Amino acid sequence: MVKFLFLDNWELEVVEGFARRLQRPEKHPDNPLMIADQPWENGNMQLYGSVVRRPDGLFQLWYSVIHEPWTMRLAYAESDDGIEWHRPRLELFEWQGQQTNIVFTDNPHGPAVIYDAEDPREHWRYKMVAGASPHHHAGCIHGFHSPDGIHWEQVGPGPIIATPPDCPMAFYRQQDGRYVVHHRLQGYGRRVFRSDSWDFQRFSEPRMIMEPDAGDGPQVQHYGMGATTCGPYHIGTLWIYHTEPSALTSGKMAGYQEAELTYARSGYAWHRAAQGEAFIPHGEPADWDRGNLQCASQPVFMEHEIRYYYMGTTARHESRWELLPQTAGLGMARLRPDGFVALEASEETAELLTVGFALPSDRLHVNAAVRADGWVRAELLRADGSPVPGCTMEDCAPLEGDRTDHRLRWPGGNVDSVVGEGVRLRVQAREASLFSVYALEPDEEPVYWRFAAARR
């Protein structure tokens, strides 16, 4: 599948009349899905952690709780549908004589977990990075592996990245097989660095990939950035930390967190899709997530939606805020497939023209929400801009309604005549929101998060 997303203009030659707008995931009406109400959770939970959906459909959650005097523990929960969660009682860690769902106790900071289906070793299927203190390398980033996500074994005798993270971390695997970790580098404050590895043991030197710029006010800091791959893109949730103007110490401990949408093509040059605009905002003053909002290390791609899990709390970020009286729980927000950013057309006709791409088949589709008085049409051009006979704008059957898989059709046109050749698409719309345009291989069963870019 070749796909055009509209995060920016990289694969577009012309954009006229469209307004590019960030799309916010819709918070689930049953939030919070789980509350930190067990005695060993001390009323707090943080998504310094991950949510994974295993190939058999089981949802797994790893989240952090804090015990005095400031010792972090990693807790585990699971769900059949990602909505109703339960905390299994395990024998790994007891609290006042009770079994708990705590699975890791070596003071893990910023833990992030993946299910690595590509690894043939059963005991290495789950992998975790955490700023842990299992031996004498106090606070550095260590690697761990597990057959079940519950019983963990350290990778090697020492750290895999020799710096304390002091932040939530991203952990994911690129299409080329490399393992990627986003973390902080000691001495650089709240900025995001990247290290990667081919074998999950020897990681590259940290490289800064995100820091506040001149477009940010002095009260904006980058707490950390979760991420995953989506086709050729890397899609991230940047934890924006809004500090209080009255917080004048170097640590600036007073403020709140919420998420901005970020993206990259290389994994190094990151961009903010809508700088200064929250992708998943913290709640209103009466809401349960009005304090901090912390996204999991990566989203979950479902068949018909993208799920962003997050921790919300009534408490804001303060010195030892995690020990303050508060309500803390797990939330989830839903986004349509490809629905990160929309090109919005109003009552005036808007138009875009794509770069040239090799047409794999006659199966051309548009992901669009067309309003009652709206429509979307397209025409097929050769790479040099000349029209394909019978595939003009006038020949196109207009698209109506809200679908992720509108099929572009030109009754009487011969799209097959240019299959395998370089083509362009010109798309026009009125009263519609466009999320993506894509072309399928001849017999492809599409998976929306697996695709190639038109421009390489």
Side-chain angles (χ1 to χ4, degrees), residues 100-154:
T100 72
N101 64 325
I102 290 176
V103 297
F104 191 89
T105 59
D106 285 328
N107 203 22
H109 205 116
V113 178
I114 63 170
Y115 181 84
D116 189 3
E118 301 296 321
D119 197 320
R121 300 168 294 179
E122 182 179 348
H123 281 72
W124 287 72
R125 199 61 52 81
Y126 292 87
K127 296 179 175 67
M128 176 172 69
V129 294
S133 306
H135 298 302
H136 60 280
H137 302 283
C140 290
I141 300 172
H142 294 254
F144 303 87
H145 63 89
S146 170
D148 54 13
I150 295 172
H151 302 87
W152 293 96
E153 182 178 342
Q154 187 180 345

Side-chain angles (χ1 to χ4, degrees), residues 105-388:
T105 59
D106 285 328
N107 203 22
H109 205 116
V113 178
I114 63 170
Y115 181 84
D116 189 3
E118 301 296 321
D119 197 320
R121 300 168 294 179
E122 182 179 348
H123 281 72
W124 287 72
R125 199 61 52 81
Y126 292 87
K127 296 179 175 67
M128 176 172 69
V129 294
S133 306
H135 298 302
H136 60 280
H137 302 283
C140 290
I141 300 172
H142 294 254
F144 303 87
H145 63 89
S146 170
D148 54 13
I150 295 172
H151 302 87
W152 293 96
E153 182 178 342
Q154 187 180 345
V155 175
I160 57 175
I161 304 173
T163 186
D166 191 30
C167 71
M169 290 193 286
F171 178 33
Y172 61 103
R173 197 168 187 183
Q174 290 188 169
Q175 289 182 337
D176 63 8
R178 273 182 291 178
Y179 298 96
V180 178
V181 176
H182 293 172
H183 58 92
R184 287 189 201 159
L185 184 60
Q186 191 172 29
Y188 286 83
R190 294 186 177 111
R191 291 169 172 81
V192 183
F193 288 75
R194 167 186 162 130
S195 296
D196 56 51
S197 170
W198 292 102
D199 61 5
F200 191 51
Q201 296 183 62
R202 293 174 292 272
F203 276 78
S204 64
E205 289 294 316
R207 177 174 171 180
M208 188 188 296
I209 56 173
M210 185 65 77
E211 67 171 342
D213 59 29
D216 291 309
Q219 274 72 55
V220 170
Q221 298 190 3
H222 292 179
Y223 214 87
M225 184 168 68
T228 191
T229 57
C230 182
Y233 288 91
H234 302 240
I235 301 292
T237 43
L238 178 64
W239 285 27
I240 295 293
Y241 179 40
H242 299 275
T243 67
E244 296 290 347
S246 59
L248 301 178
T249 62
S250 60
K252 290 188 176 293
M253 295 302 291
Y256 67 92
Q257 301 156 340
E258 59 187 0
E260 279 191 17
L261 180 68
T262 56
Y263 67 96
R265 294 180 179 83
S266 65
Y268 293 99
W270 283 82
H271 310 276
R272 293 154 74 178
Q275 184 170 357
E277 184 176 347
F279 180 53
I280 307 177
H282 74 154
E284 298 297 325
D287 294 341
W288 70 277
D289 57 357
R290 62 182 177 269
N292 287 316
L293 188 145
Q294 304 174 338
C295 278
S297 62
Q298 58 184 272
V300 177
F301 291 111
M302 305 285 288
E303 287 78 4
H304 303 294
E305 65 185 16
I306 305 170
R307 291 186 179 181
Y308 282 90
Y309 287 90
Y310 64 91
M311 187 281 295
T313 178
T314 55
R316 292 160 70 93
H317 192 289
E318 305 282 353
S319 294
R320 297 298 173 94
W321 66 269
E322 65 282 344
L323 302 179
L324 298 173
Q326 61 182 279
T327 297
L330 177 71
M332 186 266 282
R334 293 166 160 163
L335 192 70
R336 71 186 289 145
D338 302 340
F340 306 108
V341 170
L343 290 182
E344 301 274 3
S346 59
E347 59 187 19
E348 300 295 329
T349 299
E351 179 176 296
L352 67 83
L353 176 66
T354 72
V355 298
F357 64 100
L359 184 63
S361 75
D362 65 348
R363 300 169 67 194
L364 285 156
H365 294 262
V366 178
N367 180 344
V370 184
R371 294 179 281 281
D373 296 329
W375 48 261
V376 176
R377 296 188 180 93
E379 63 182 2
L380 197 56
L381 309 173
R382 290 187 169 86
D384 63 5
S386 60
V388 176

Side-chain angles (χ1 to χ4, degrees), residues 390-450:
C391 298
T392 67
M393 205 69 70
E394 291 73 21
D395 298 315
C396 183
L399 306 179
E400 299 175 344
D402 187 346
R403 296 180 61 95
T404 61
D405 61 348
H406 289 285
R407 178 78 179 268
L408 285 172
R409 301 181 187 276
W410 294 269
N414 186 8
V415 179
D416 287 336
S417 66
V418 288
V419 169
E421 297 183 12
V423 298
R424 301 175 188 271
L425 266 179
R426 177 177 282 121
V427 181
Q428 293 183 347
R430 290 181 63 183
E431 294 294 347
S433 301
L434 273 59
F435 303 98
S436 65
V437 176
Y438 55 97
L440 301 178
E441 297 292 335
D443 299 314
E444 180 179 5
E445 290 293 331
V447 177
Y448 67 86
W449 62 88
R450 297 175 185 158

